[in-house]
Amino acid sequence: VAPGLYVVSTPIGNLEDITIRGLKILTEASVLLCEDTRKTRHLLTLLGVQSRGKRFLAYHSHNFYEQREQLRDRILENKDEEVIALVSDAGAPGVSDPGQDLVDLVLEATSTSGGGGGGGG
């Protein structure tokens, strides 16, 4: 998996609904942007994905205004060549959470600067 931002859909009711690519990204991600870090850790445990060595950063409706520009810059610069996964508690990030705002910021910045952000998952 190439460094960059990946938007990962998570199962809503059945763990078997995770995609193979989503599971691969969760496995290889070094940073996870989560609505609730506890729920994401629990999900990784249920999926058999090691969480050791991963950074879990809260990104939700209560803090996204304070964090969105800093996260955008981290994603665009990506000095450490991180695989960054944007994960919601259940379903697709960006449908009913602040994930869409972050994705829009990154896309806007890459369209004006010509940079790249990663891929979808």
Side-chain angles (χ1 to χ4, degrees):
V1 175
L5 175 66
Y6 293 85
V7 178
V8 181
S9 294
T10 58
I12 293 175
N14 186 332
L15 283 177
E16 293 177 355
D17 289 340
I18 188 79
T19 65
I20 293 169
R21 185 164 188 218
L23 189 56
K24 181 176 183 174
I25 292 166
L26 291 175
T27 300
E28 296 191 24
S30 52
V31 177
L32 292 105
L33 306 178
C34 320
E35 279 186 88
D36 184 329
T37 58
R38 296 165 298 180
K39 288 184 180 182
T40 302
R41 282 182 193 275
H42 183 66
L43 174 66
L44 294 186
T45 298
L46 292 174
L47 293 171
V49 175
Q50 287 286 335
S51 60
R52 185 179 304 150
K54 296 183 185 301
R55 294 196 56 210
F56 291 79
L57 304 176
Y59 184 72
H60 46 68
S61 60
H62 302 291
N63 72 356
F64 79 101
Y65 278 118
E66 295 83 23
Q67 294 201 27
R68 64 190 192 150
E69 291 177 359
Q70 177 185 358
L71 289 172
R72 176 204 57 206
D73 294 345
R74 180 180 187 160
I75 292 162
L76 293 173
E77 293 169 7
N78 208 354
K79 295 176 186 174
D80 297 326
E81 296 191 354
E82 299 169 312
V83 173
I84 303 168
L86 174 62
V87 183
S88 66
D89 287 345
V95 173
S96 63
D97 61 48
Q100 184 64 52
D101 183 68
L102 181 61
V103 170
D104 288 345
L105 281 173
V106 171
L107 289 175
E108 180 181 313
T110 57
S111 68
T112 59
S113 71

